[in-house]
Amino acid sequence: MSETHVSVVDRYYTKFYKIDTRGPSEDIQIIQHSNKLCVITLAPSHPAITRQITQISYDIKPGVSRCNNDLSKRKQGAPFMDSNSILCLIKCDDKIYKICGGIRGKLVEINDRLVNKPELVQIKRETDGFIAIIQPVHGKSDTECLNLLNYNQYINEINKRNDDV
């Protein structure tokens, strides 16, 4: 008898995608838990996945760092993020990518492990390599996700993009 094991991500999360967020092919994946929290990762089609990442920084600009947010247990100090708010900068050998959250909500957590191990964003995208966790506006998570692509829509868009090349 053959058993197939479904990953925790596939079992308890719904995957959404937002393409061309800050430029061509700069796609992100938004993985929504059943409790509505959203884990932000790079989509498999993002160019940084195949490039040499030299640094990941949560210092967005002088005086603005996502690391300095007061994320207490109740998340009272969590900053509100717009869908285009920059979460981090991914520096590759020849380009800097500004990664946004893709949805509106409170920034609950950043993955500070990426600062010391930037390769996690490539090799463990959906688990240890997540970029941030955002709590959508209360009662609006379903509305936020209406603007995102599901997996089949994402694959269709990526195939169209590849056909155009």
Side-chain angles (χ1 to χ4, degrees):
M1 186 159 90
S2 173
E3 289 185 35
T4 58
H5 295 284
V6 179
S7 73
V8 170
V9 172
D10 290 332
R11 183 176 297 160
Y12 297 110
Y13 292 79
T14 304
K15 297 178 184 180
F16 296 101
Y17 301 85
K18 189 166 186 179
I19 61 172
D20 302 329
T21 56
R22 310 247 352 141
S25 300
E26 294 185 27
D27 310 331
I28 60 169
Q29 183 178 34
I30 299 165
I31 308 170
Q32 187 178 47
H33 190 271
S34 56
N35 66 9
K36 305 300 183 189
L37 287 178
C38 293
V39 179
I40 312 302
T41 70
L42 293 183
S45 54
H46 195 288
I49 294 292
T50 58
R51 293 200 166 145
Q52 177 67 37
I53 296 177
T54 57
Q55 181 183 22
I56 294 180
S57 174
Y58 288 98
D59 296 328
I60 306 308
K61 58 184 178 181
V64 178
S65 175
R66 300 292 179 222
C67 293
N68 294 338
N69 296 326
D70 177 25
L71 301 179
S72 63
K73 186 175 180 180
R74 296 180 144 265
K75 311 305 178 208
Q76 296 296 331
F80 183 81
M81 308 293 288
D82 192 13
S83 62
N84 293 319
S85 297
I86 299 171
L87 293 173
C88 71
L89 304 174
I90 297 181
K91 297 177 184 179
C92 294
D93 45 1
D94 61 344
K95 186 166 171 99
I96 296 175
Y97 297 101
K98 296 177 180 179
I99 308 302
C100 67
I103 59 168
R104 296 178 327 124
K106 286 184 179 182
L107 178 62
V108 175
E109 182 179 340
I110 58 153
N111 187 358
D112 55 3
R113 287 177 288 186
L114 298 180
V115 173
N116 295 321
K117 291 187 169 187
E119 67 276 4
L120 287 175
V121 82
Q122 295 167 315
I123 58 176
K124 293 189 173 188
R125 276 184 325 98
E126 294 181 341
T127 56
D128 295 341
F130 74 93
I131 293 169
I133 298 175
I134 295 179
Q135 179 182 18
V137 177
H138 183 67
K140 304 261 185 189
S141 64
D142 293 335
T143 316
E144 286 293 320
C145 292
L146 288 175
N147 299 321
L148 304 173
L149 302 177
N150 65 32
Y151 178 76
N152 290 331
Q153 293 168 325
Y154 166 71
I155 293 298
N156 287 338
E157 290 298 319
I158 298 307
N159 288 338
K160 283 184 205 173
R161 181 190 295 161
N162 292 338
D163 290 343
D164 291 341
V165 174

